[in-house]
Each structure stands twice: as structure tokens, then as C-alpha cells.
Amino acid sequence: MGALFSCFSPSSPPPPQRRRSVAGGRRQASPPPAGSSGRWTRMRSGRKEDPGLLTHEQALAAAAILIQHHRENGGVAEPTIPFDRSTSTRYPASKKKDALPRSSSTRPRSLADPLLQPQQLVNQDVKIEDLETNRFVLVHGGGFGAWCWYKTIALLEDSGFKVFAVDLTGSGIHSFDTNNITSLPQYVKPLIDFLEKLSDNEKVILVGHDFGGACISYAMEAFPSKIAKAVFVSAAMLQNSQNTLDMFSQQADADTLMRQAQIFLYANGNDHPPTAIDLSKELLKDLLFNQSPVKDIALASVSMRSIPFAPVLEKLSLTEKNYGSVRRFFIETTEDNAIPLSLQETMCRSNPPEKVFRLKGSDHSPFFSKPQALHKFLVEIAKIPQTLNTH
């Protein structure tokens, strides 16, 4: 997987930025640290700066300013330059409230999914350690693998959450042959094994995408006491005695892009039922990634595997006592060509969740096309307080 992720790294490091301070509406060169001599200034101007030394000098200058303010305000320090845990060079904070930090990364940021400020991502009044759980379990959809969540994993972990992304049987790096998967329990076994190992007082937030919705529903029925919340991200949110094929049959248009893209595989011969489904490479972008970055589409094109056919046909057995006791949330994706918004809305009307969120401008793969907005919703769901009737 390392070779796959290497394509996301910048080709070369950006040149170091010289720190500037703003005064009187014009940019001026920063003053030397308090107590420094003219010789220090001449030495700086006479040698080539490197990023490491520049960062160190910035810290010295910032410390000098803090000390000066501390003396002028009678011992009350009013820092003017915020410190950042990152070692990358950043421009000083603007006085505009909505200004966004500029990173030293050379990768252009998508205007459709802008970087969100920390206060937008996390409610500062609620601490992660005070939540019912700070653990997410991410369950991929049909043909995908744990690899598809790489942006979501990074964002959640950076916010202090613990994250586990599972590879279901025959998916991702799981070596089992997809054509030999004959049931939903067999397909979901890696998720069930993980939940079984949790202690009785441990809970997680399950997040399912696409066919992963049927998988987390199966897990909700099996381990309701270990699941604090379940989040369906443009996913199959089924009712009792339904299968995923039933869900797709609700679409009015019989000639959907999904049906055009399906390629049935017959590992047991053409006189037997299909064993798996492939998706046409030519239609993959339009079907799943019509709003996603090119690099993520390239990653998916070399990572996706066949979808086992038998689990798609298997009807779920869901009870109100188990499945019905878990709090459910649904995240809609408005530009979805695989599970259209109309079908998502139909599922929510037929089997209403506690709350519905809408990702505007997202294709079927919001972890690629809208990672920041998806992250914001997941954190918001995690911070919804417990209800009195939770298990």
C-alpha cells in the first residue's frame, strides 16, 4: 500500500517562507529579537537561510514579542503570533476572522471542500474523553477496502479519535477469493471478530458506506450493546427481511448507470448463479467518483476488487430489540450516481434514522470528494449526547 500512497506526496518541498508582520496596513520586515545586535542582523543577511534555522529564528522573535507585551501590560501577556504544533512554515494569522491557515504543501486545495477551522470541526465545549465513545469503526462498501478511508482516518485521528478501518472478507488486502464467498456472515466475519474482542464496557461508532450499510446492520443485530451509534454514508439502510438487491429495485429507472456498469462473474460456470460482480473500468469514474480528485480515482482503479454476489442477495433478519435499539444516522450525498439521492431519501422515509445529514456536492465516495465535510458530520454525530433510553 505504501507504493499506492506515494502518489499523494508533493514532488519537491516548497521554498521556505520569510515571516512577515503586518503593521499599519503594510507588510514590514520583522524586528530582530530583543537584545540582539546589528552584527546578528548582518550575519543573517550574509548567509543562506534554511527552513530549520528560519523556524528557530521565528520562535525567538515570537518569544521576544511575548516578553515585551508581558512587560507593557503589567504581567499580562497578549500573544500576537499563535504557535502551531506543525513544523511547517506558515504565514502569520490574519486579522480577518474567516482567514484560513496557509500550509507549506504544494498540493492545491479543492475549493469545493475547503479546509475547515478547528472550531468548525469540533465543539470546543465537549471534550473527547467525556464522550460515550471516542472510537470509530469504518466499514467500506462493495468492491472497496479499508484503503478508501485514508483521509477520514487521518482527520479523525488528528482530532483525537481512535479509528479502525476493516477489510471485509475478500476485500482490500484480505487474500480470500471473492468468488468463494457464499454468505453475508462469511463476508462480514472480520468486523464481527473485531466486535467480539471488545470488552463489555467498550462501545464504538460504526460507519458503513454503500453495501457496508447492510454489513453494519448485521453487526447491530449481533452486538447492540457494543455499538453507541451507527452512521450510514450513502449506504444500504435496510429493513427486516430486505436484501440489498431489494433496495436497488426501488429505483424507477431500470437503465441506471449502476446496471450498465455491472459485469457478472461466473466462477462456477454459466449454468450456475453469478459468484461476483465487477464494475466496468470505463464507467467507474462516472458511477462512483464523478466529483473526486484524479489521484483518488487512480488509487481506486488499482485497488478495487470484485463484489461477492451471494451476500447481496441475503435477506437481513433485524429485530427492534437489537438492531432497533442502536441510534442510527444517515449522511446523504447529493451528486451520487450509484445510489441516487432519491433512493437515499426513500430509504430514510421507509426506515427513519434519528437524524439525516446532507453532503452537498458529494459523489458516491465522500471520503474522496468531501473528506472535510464528512469529517465534520462524523465529529458532530460523535458529540450528540446520550439519550436516557440507550442500552
Side-chain angles (χ1 to χ4, degrees):
M1 289 302 290
L4 294 175
F5 286 101
S6 64
C7 64
F8 298 98
S9 302
S11 58
S12 60
Q17 302 289 340
R18 296 181 62 88
R19 186 175 63 84
R20 301 283 184 183
S21 60
V22 179
R26 296 182 301 169
R27 291 188 178 274
Q28 299 178 346
S30 303
S36 65
S37 65
R39 178 174 177 270
W40 168 259
T41 305
R42 290 193 299 273
M43 288 176 62
R44 289 187 60 197
S45 61
R47 62 180 169 83
K48 185 178 181 181
E49 296 176 340
D50 64 50
L53 290 176
L54 182 60
T55 303
H56 178 67
E57 291 166 11
Q58 287 178 340
L60 290 175
I65 294 173
L66 289 175
I67 294 172
Q68 182 179 352
H69 276 279
H70 184 78
R71 290 172 178 171
E72 292 175 354
N73 291 280
V76 180
E78 297 180 357
T80 59
I81 299 180
F83 283 95
D84 196 310
R85 289 187 303 166
S86 171
T87 57
S88 64
T89 305
R90 293 184 183 271
Y91 290 88
S94 168
K95 292 185 179 180
K96 294 181 180 180
K97 291 183 179 180
D98 296 328
L100 299 175
R102 291 186 61 184
S103 169
S104 62
S105 170
T106 59
R107 180 180 179 271
R109 180 171 293 119
S110 170
L111 296 178
D113 187 45
L115 179 67
L116 298 174
Q117 294 282 38
Q119 62 268 26
Q120 293 176 280
L121 296 177
V122 180
N123 182 351
Q124 300 296 329
D125 296 332
V126 182
K127 296 181 179 179
I128 289 181
E129 55 267 25
D130 295 333
L131 299 177
E132 182 180 8
T133 180
N134 66 347
R135 303 186 68 174
F136 278 91
V137 176
L138 309 179
V139 183
H140 62 81
F144 291 86
W147 52 266
C148 73
W149 298 104
Y150 78 95
K151 293 180 182 179
T152 303
I153 294 170
L155 288 167
L156 286 172
E157 288 184 343
D158 193 51
S159 295
F161 291 93
K162 296 178 181 178
V163 189
F164 172 70
V166 63
D167 272 321
L168 299 176
T169 305
S171 305
I173 61 172
H174 194 287
S175 60
F176 198 82
D177 184 356
T178 307
N179 290 291
N180 293 330
I181 299 174
T182 58
S183 69
L184 183 61
Q186 182 185 11
Y187 182 59
V188 185
K189 189 176 186 303
L191 174 60
I192 297 303
D193 289 346
F194 174 84
L195 293 173
E196 280 182 339
K197 294 176 182 177
L198 294 177
S199 62
D200 293 337
N201 60 345
E202 286 184 286
K203 290 188 176 185
V204 300
I205 298 174
L206 280 186
V207 181
H209 170 248
D210 186 79
F211 183 48
C215 300
I216 67 173
S217 297
Y218 180 88
M220 290 158 64
E221 180 66 27
F223 298 101
S225 63
K226 295 184 178 182
I227 303 169
K229 300 180 179 80
V231 185
F232 293 76
V233 182
S234 184
M237 189 169 65
L238 308 177
Q239 300 180 69
N240 181 43
S241 298
Q242 268 192 329
N243 62 28
T244 305
L245 198 62
D246 292 335
M247 176 196 73
F248 282 108
S249 66
Q250 297 177 34
Q251 296 184 81
D253 185 5
D255 189 28
T256 63
L257 187 60
M258 171 65 82
R259 297 187 183 186
Q260 295 175 40
Q262 291 175 349
I263 302 172
F264 291 93
L265 305 180
Y266 297 84
N268 298 326
N270 292 338
D271 55 340
H272 290 81
T275 52
I277 306 170
D278 262 345
L279 296 176
S280 167
K281 295 292 184 182
E282 289 74 20
L283 297 177
L284 203 59
K285 177 181 177 180
D286 292 336
L287 179 67
L288 305 176
F289 312 115
N290 49 297
Q291 301 294 324
S292 296
V294 173
K295 290 182 178 180
D296 291 329
I297 299 174
L299 171 65
S301 67
V302 297
S303 303
M304 292 193 70
R305 297 176 62 180
S306 301
I307 305 167
F309 189 64
V312 175
L313 296 178
E314 190 161 336
K315 295 184 182 294
L316 291 176
S317 178
L318 305 175
T319 64
E320 186 63 28
K321 178 182 177 181
N322 294 341
Y323 168 84
S325 67
V326 181
R327 302 173 71 184
R328 285 180 293 115
F329 302 86
F330 197 97
I331 298 179
E332 297 177 340
T333 47
T334 62
E335 306 301 319
D336 196 325
N337 290 333
I339 303 181
L341 180 60
S342 59
L343 180 54
Q344 298 174 47
E345 292 173 331
T346 298
M347 286 190 290
C348 290
R349 285 194 300 268
S350 302
N351 188 17
E354 183 174 323
K355 187 172 182 179
V356 177
F357 299 81
R358 176 165 291 187
L359 276 174
K360 295 182 179 180
S362 173
D363 56 22
H364 187 61
S365 307
F367 35 74
F368 288 159
S369 61
K370 288 286 185 179
Q372 294 280 352
L374 174 62
H375 171 62
K376 178 179 181 291
F377 283 158
L378 293 179
V379 173
E380 184 176 340
I381 291 170
K383 291 180 178 290
I384 295 176
Q386 287 181 262
T387 57
L388 295 178
N389 61 346
T390 54
H391 41 261

